[in-house]
Amino acid sequence: ELPEEGPLKVTVVPIKMGIGKPSLFLLRRSVKNALENNADVLVLDMDTPGGGVMEALEMMEILNEFPGITITYINDEAISAGAIISSVTDHIYFSPLGIMGSAAAIQMTGEEIPETMKAKLYSYLDARIESYSLNKRLRNKVLKAMIDKDFEFVEDKVLISPKDKLLALTAPKAFTPFGDPPEPLVAAGIAESVEEIFEYGFGAEEVEITEFEQTWSEEVAAFIISATPLLYGLGFVML
């Protein structure tokens, strides 16, 4: 609910890295601060190629603890674990060039995970995402099509995602309405910026935005994690 008096307090958290411990720590710190400052809305300003599933699940739980409105602004990518995290926020907005999807789980080496483990993981993810999106009629199907290439997604007799292909959505496609009454596939809207979301999406006369930034230690940790495969390779060469 919007505040009856005073400005709408918005906390913006930049997720501009691979999903891992640094992004988890940043979100935890930001949510703690948002709670202390009685923020009304928490926005994930997201541009990520994906990352760790376990960290994504922890981030989903942290978002669920925030009592206000949660939003993902896809600016410009929410791929893999980024798509999974986006699925638990109340609203998902896209930048004009935003892309969301392709959330199949792979190993850190880039290889496919074993079929038995994959089946267990997808079953678990499906249940978790469904529990978070009970009031979103299409969102669970969208995420299922992004995660499981064996799932055929048909809505209103329209083939949205065939079998053997993971679903990825551009902004216009994500905003396409289906059903009666019509409901956008997954996007609440398309906006040029975080500020524009609140200009036309919420009708708030006054908005107070607090933007968080990574600390230097989080930036160093993110760099080390992204460079881990290279460091392993160099280690083998040195040996």
Side-chain angles (χ1 to χ4, degrees), residues 66-130:
F66 182 72
I69 298 169
T70 55
I71 296 173
T72 298
Y73 177 52
I74 299 176
N75 180 29
D76 289 322
E77 292 185 343
I79 306 300
S80 189
I84 294 171
I85 294 167
S86 302
S87 71
V88 305
T89 57
D90 296 317
H91 307 287
I92 301 174
Y93 285 81
F94 281 64
S95 68
L97 299 178
I99 299 173
M100 175 185 179
S102 300
I106 58 174
Q107 299 186 69
M108 291 297 290
T109 58
E111 299 174 351
E112 291 283 339
I113 62 176
E115 287 298 325
T116 302
M117 185 183 298
K118 183 187 295 185
K120 290 181 179 180
L121 177 60
Y122 287 175
S123 177
Y124 176 71
L125 281 176
D126 186 48
R128 286 294 296 272
I129 292 168
E130 184 176 4

Side-chain angles (χ1 to χ4, degrees), residues 8-139:
L8 182 72
K9 293 185 178 181
V10 179
T11 295
V12 180
V13 186
I15 306 297
K16 305 287 187 177
M17 65 197 95
I19 302 301
K21 293 297 184 184
S23 51
L24 171 61
F25 296 153
L26 173 61
L27 180 62
R28 183 178 291 150
R29 178 167 60 87
S30 303
V31 169
K32 182 176 183 293
N33 187 275
L35 291 172
E36 292 172 351
N37 288 282
N38 298 312
D40 303 297
V41 184
L42 184 78
V43 180
L44 302 183
D45 186 2
M46 184 175 288
D47 187 8
T48 179
V53 173
M54 296 311 298
E55 287 83 2
L57 292 174
E58 288 188 65
M59 292 173 74
M60 290 162 67
E61 291 179 359
I62 292 171
L63 288 168
N64 195 46
E65 294 173 2
F66 182 72
I69 298 169
T70 55
I71 296 173
T72 298
Y73 177 52
I74 299 176
N75 180 29
D76 289 322
E77 292 185 343
I79 306 300
S80 189
I84 294 171
I85 294 167
S86 302
S87 71
V88 305
T89 57
D90 296 317
H91 307 287
I92 301 174
Y93 285 81
F94 281 64
S95 68
L97 299 178
I99 299 173
M100 175 185 179
S102 300
I106 58 174
Q107 299 186 69
M108 291 297 290
T109 58
E111 299 174 351
E112 291 283 339
I113 62 176
E115 287 298 325
T116 302
M117 185 183 298
K118 183 187 295 185
K120 290 181 179 180
L121 177 60
Y122 287 175
S123 177
Y124 176 71
L125 281 176
D126 186 48
R128 286 294 296 272
I129 292 168
E130 184 176 4
S131 69
Y132 283 120
S133 56
L134 290 176
N135 61 338
K136 304 292 191 299
R137 183 169 56 84
L138 296 174
R139 189 175 295 189

